[in-house]
Amino acid sequence: MTEIKIQKNVLSKNDELAAELRRDFARKGVLVLNMLSSPGSGKTTLLEKTARALAGKLRIAAIEGDLQTERDADRIRAAGVRAVQINTGRGCHLDANMIANILPKLEVAELDVLFIENVGNLVCPAAFDLGEDFAVLLMSVTEGDDKPAKYPTAFLKADLLVLNKLDLQPYTNFDIERFRGDVARVKPSLPMLQVSCTTEQGLESWFQWIERKTKAKRERPRR
Ligand code: MG
Ligand code: ZN
């Protein structure tokens, strides 16, 4: 009982700060994407490919959340994008306070898109609003097709589902139609893109989704 109360209190404080962040991002006209996935689904690789593809078209930066190391931020910087790292230590998710604290290191007003690569984990990142416009859930066929049933909260939070490593599908027992059916049972309105960051199959649709959302954000700024 007490534990539930504390948890609720933490989450409502987080939601208040996230709402403030969302207003700030809206004023600055930056599209913010909260990238959720299990470890090893290919978030950093997707961001590298995205940074390279959209360079010159959109001004992009990334916040990289990881338990330890600066490795993902280094990879994103090597792709030519400004990146800052948040090391959460033992913390298994990012929260709005961590985002608020690191924002002064980024010139947010100068950006079109800010990616937040959350800690690889399908459980609590789904509970913490970071002030994002959209939550993007990245899954890969190597993780098995039972995730929608096991982690419904992550699927419910998601605004877009990106299924990665399509090139490996023939070597797995991942059943895309069964997966699609399970996703539809959890959240019928959730759109899904199928991609391979290795062969770059399907990535064009992802880039176009980002460009569409960026344009919409610029045209319909919130207060
Ligand atoms: Mg990563
Ligand atoms: Zn956590």
Side-chain angles (χ1 to χ4, degrees):
M1 183 67 187
T2 320
E3 203 172 302
I4 292 168
K5 258 191 194 161
I6 291 168
Q7 181 71 357
K8 272 195 180 153
N9 195 17
V10 166
L11 284 177
S12 71
K13 282 223 172 86
N14 184 80
D15 286 353
E16 278 170 35
L17 183 52
E20 248 174 70
L21 287 174
R22 187 168 283 112
R23 283 191 290 273
D24 184 45
F25 292 144
R27 272 193 297 273
K28 291 172 176 159
V30 57
L31 179 78
V32 181
L33 302 178
N34 183 1
M35 309 291 293
L36 308 172
S37 85
S38 315
S41 302
K43 286 193 300 302
T44 313
T45 308
L46 181 67
L47 292 189
E48 284 176 304
K49 296 272 178 179
T50 306
R52 291 205 163 92
L54 298 179
K57 281 187 179 174
L58 298 176
R59 298 162 300 172
I60 296 172
I63 295 173
E64 295 292 312
D66 268 305
L67 303 181
Q68 310 277 346
T69 83
E70 183 85 17
R71 282 182 200 176
D72 283 358
D74 287 342
R75 285 172 58 189
I76 300 296
R77 285 180 202 125
V81 158
R82 182 191 287 255
V84 290
Q85 185 85 46
I86 297 175
N87 285 135
T88 54
R90 292 195 301 178
C92 45
H93 59 268
L94 295 178
D95 63 31
N97 195 40
M98 296 175 196
I99 302 300
N101 287 339
I102 204 148
L103 281 183
K105 290 191 181 176
L106 294 165
E107 285 159 64
V108 178
E110 307 300 313
L111 297 175
D112 296 307
V113 188
L114 174 61
F115 290 98
I116 302 174
E117 183 180 333
N118 218 312
V119 179
N121 167 5
L122 288 179
V123 187
C124 38
F128 286 84
D129 186 359
L130 304 180
E132 72 272 6
D133 293 286
F134 300 104
V136 178
L137 176 60
L138 184 66
M139 281 267 326
S140 64
V141 299
T142 51
E143 292 168 63
D145 53 22
D146 56 355
K147 295 295 177 293
K150 283 189 178 166
Y151 302 98
T153 330
F155 286 81
L156 281 170
K157 180 183 171 81
D159 300 294
L160 176 70
L161 172 61
V162 179
L163 182 62
N164 188 24
K165 307 194 188 179
L166 214 57
D167 54 308
L168 299 180
Q169 197 254 335
Y171 312 103
T172 69
N173 56 8
F174 192 100
D175 182 332
I176 293 182
E177 285 321 305
R178 186 167 62 202
F179 178 73
R180 196 194 289 281
D182 283 354
V183 170
R185 261 184 287 283
V186 176
K187 190 172 184 179
S189 62
L190 181 59
M192 175 165 88
L193 300 177
Q194 300 183 33
V195 308
S196 161
C197 285
T198 307
T199 66
E200 305 195 349
Q201 176 188 357
L203 285 184
E204 196 53 45
S205 314
W206 160 243
F207 302 148
Q208 285 168 3
W209 184 89
I210 296 169
E211 290 188 86
R212 270 202 314 278
K213 295 301 183 190
T214 306
K215 194 160 169 276
K217 178 93 190 213
R218 277 201 213 112
E219 286 166 3
R220 267 187 286 108
R222 297 184 220 190
R223 285 147 291 145

